[in-house]
Amino acid sequence: MSDAVTYVYAVTRGADEATVAGLVGVGGGPVRLVASGPLQAVVGDVDREEFEARALEERLEDLEWLAATARAHHHVVDAVGRVHVVAPLSLATVYYGDDRVREVLEQGGETFRAVLDRLTGRAEWGVKAYARDRPVAPAGGSGGDRPRSGAEYLRRRRRELREGDLTLEEAQQAAEEVHAAVGALAEATRTHRLQDPALTGSTERMVLNGAYLVPVEAVGDLEALVASLAEHPRLRVELTGPWVPYSFAQVDVS
Amino acid sequence: MSDDGGLERRSTSLFGDQEVALVDLLDRLLAGGVVLTGDITISLAGVDLVRVSLRALITSIAPVERPSAAEARTVASSVDRPQLGSRHG
């Protein structure tokens, strides 16, 4: 490594070197702590040239790099988050050295403490819902009875599209109800962008991509609620989690 | 191909990062976390995952013919890819 800079994963409290021993971080390097008062930053060295080169790109569109960095970032934050409350930092936060990190910890100390207090005893859960495809006649071509004329084909196609719209609308309404019901168990909610079918690999349209900050004591209720939706006529509902509270650590300390 | 309930059910990820879908992770990492102004700033806020994944997909297609954007879109939605980025394992 020619020249190293300090990559910051998260801010936590109560952690010691044993918490991060053996963890492999971004770029394959080890993970360590930078402490300031009661707070610790979870950090590791990364290659300065690489990050400076990435920074020059107007927008990062290198999926390989993004995926590897996201996985490594998550691996570290998640491992620490199992044992201690963490305020995860946004992806790719880099400082010139540990002294700079210590400075940031000191300056943002109060904010970090407030964020950690807010997140203690809570975890993030994800609820995604997809509009179920209503079984419709194949739109010509793929077997079944073929339309006898172009006009008939168009008639069928229009009907299918209309039914499709209806199904989607009903699913969107149902998704709002699910969001409200899950939200009632949560202390905070956030909705992420609906994932494109190109990303989900599913033909079903996503109608809800929610994140919920749920107190540990309400997790049983959450799981029971989602289980009760398994046979929902309009929606297919997925639960993911517990996540470290990425979606709820969003404060701007800059 | 998509009967009700017949699709794969993504397992609930209990802190095991192998089971976390990259797309779910990126939702959170690109739009969440404490925002600090680092000394080196990499621009991630505007990353369009659909475009990124399409590009990755296009470059992964055998270089016999370069598909047009429309074809690439068809490929992207019809290819069975439970999550992006699994291409290189």
Side-chain angles (χ1 to χ4, degrees):
Chain A
M1 201 168 279
S2 53
D3 196 3
V5 286
T6 307
Y7 183 109
V8 190
Y9 297 90
V11 173
T12 184
R13 61 184 167 205
D16 56 30
E17 289 295 338
T19 315
V20 294
L23 284 179
V24 177
V26 172
V31 177
R32 59 179 198 282
L33 299 176
V34 171
S36 164
L39 299 175
Q40 299 92 41
V42 181
V43 307
D45 287 341
V46 290
D47 185 58
R48 176 173 185 158
E49 269 175 41
E50 185 194 336
F51 272 75
E52 281 180 334
R54 298 280 173 196
L56 288 177
E57 294 174 25
E58 209 163 278
R59 199 189 258 178
L60 189 83
E61 292 198 336
D62 179 347
L63 184 66
E64 291 292 310
W65 189 86
L66 187 61
T69 307
R71 289 277 184 207
H73 182 98
H74 177 61
H75 174 67
V76 171
V77 174
D78 190 58
V80 178
R82 281 186 229 196
V83 200
H84 300 285
V85 60
V86 289
L89 261 57
S90 62
L91 198 63
T93 308
V94 174
Y95 290 95
Y96 286 135
D98 289 7
D99 289 345
R100 285 283 296 123
V101 175
R102 211 165 283 119
E103 234 173 80
V104 170
L105 276 185
E106 278 163 23
Q107 282 166 7
E110 217 163 287
T111 314
F112 286 125
R113 277 192 291 276
V115 173
L116 290 170
D117 286 344
R118 186 157 54 80
L119 299 177
T120 301
R122 295 153 182 91
E124 174 174 338
W125 293 79
V127 175
K128 293 179 288 181
Y130 302 83
R132 286 191 193 275
D133 293 331
R134 184 171 290 173
V136 283
S142 58
D145 57 329
R146 292 174 169 277
R148 285 185 303 272
S149 66
E152 191 191 332
Y153 169 79
L154 285 176
R155 253 196 316 278
R156 278 196 202 179
R157 190 75 193 113
R158 263 189 231 114
R159 196 185 61 222
E160 282 166 16
L161 289 174
R162 245 192 338 268
E163 283 174 356
D165 281 353
L166 212 62
T167 311
L168 185 62
E169 234 171 77
E170 289 166 349
Q172 282 162 341
Q173 266 171 27
E176 275 174 34
E177 289 163 21
V178 169
H179 177 65
V182 178
L185 297 171
E187 289 188 356
T189 70
R190 232 186 121 188
T191 48
H192 289 294
R193 275 188 304 192
L194 298 177
Q195 294 167 0
D196 191 278
L199 297 175
T200 60
S202 169
T203 58
E204 296 167 310
R205 285 273 293 275
M206 182 178 277
V207 287
L208 174 65
N209 188 13
Y212 305 86
L213 186 67
V214 179
V216 281
E217 60 270 19
V219 169
D221 289 347
L222 171 70
E223 284 170 334
L225 172 63
V226 173
S228 77
L229 297 169
E231 303 296 315
H232 197 291
R234 301 270 176 262
L235 301 175
R236 185 168 62 80
V237 180
E238 276 181 5
L239 178 68
T240 62
W243 293 89
V244 284
Y246 291 115
S247 306
F248 302 98
Q250 215 193 14
V251 289
D252 204 323
V253 193
S254 53
Chain B
M1 150 178 182
S2 54
D3 287 342
D4 278 4
L7 283 167
E8 97 286 2
R9 208 158 276 268
R10 197 165 280 155
S11 59
T12 305
S13 52
L14 289 162
F15 277 132
D17 49 336
Q18 292 314 310
E19 294 170 25
V20 172
L22 184 61
V23 59
D24 290 344
L25 182 57
L26 289 176
D27 274 348
R28 291 171 167 77
L29 290 182
L30 295 178
V34 178
V35 178
L36 296 177
T37 311
D39 293 337
I40 302 173
T41 310
I42 295 181
S43 162
L44 291 165
V47 171
D48 179 344
L49 283 182
V50 175
R51 226 171 73 183
V52 173
S53 76
L54 282 177
R55 256 154 73 136
L57 199 62
I58 290 164
T59 52
S60 74
I61 291 170
V64 182
E65 49 183 343
R66 288 177 55 215
S68 71
E71 280 166 343
R73 200 169 295 276
T74 312
V75 172
S77 53
S78 63
V79 165
D80 181 28
R81 285 168 69 85
Q83 62 191 67
L84 71 137
S86 53
R87 183 160 60 95
H88 289 266

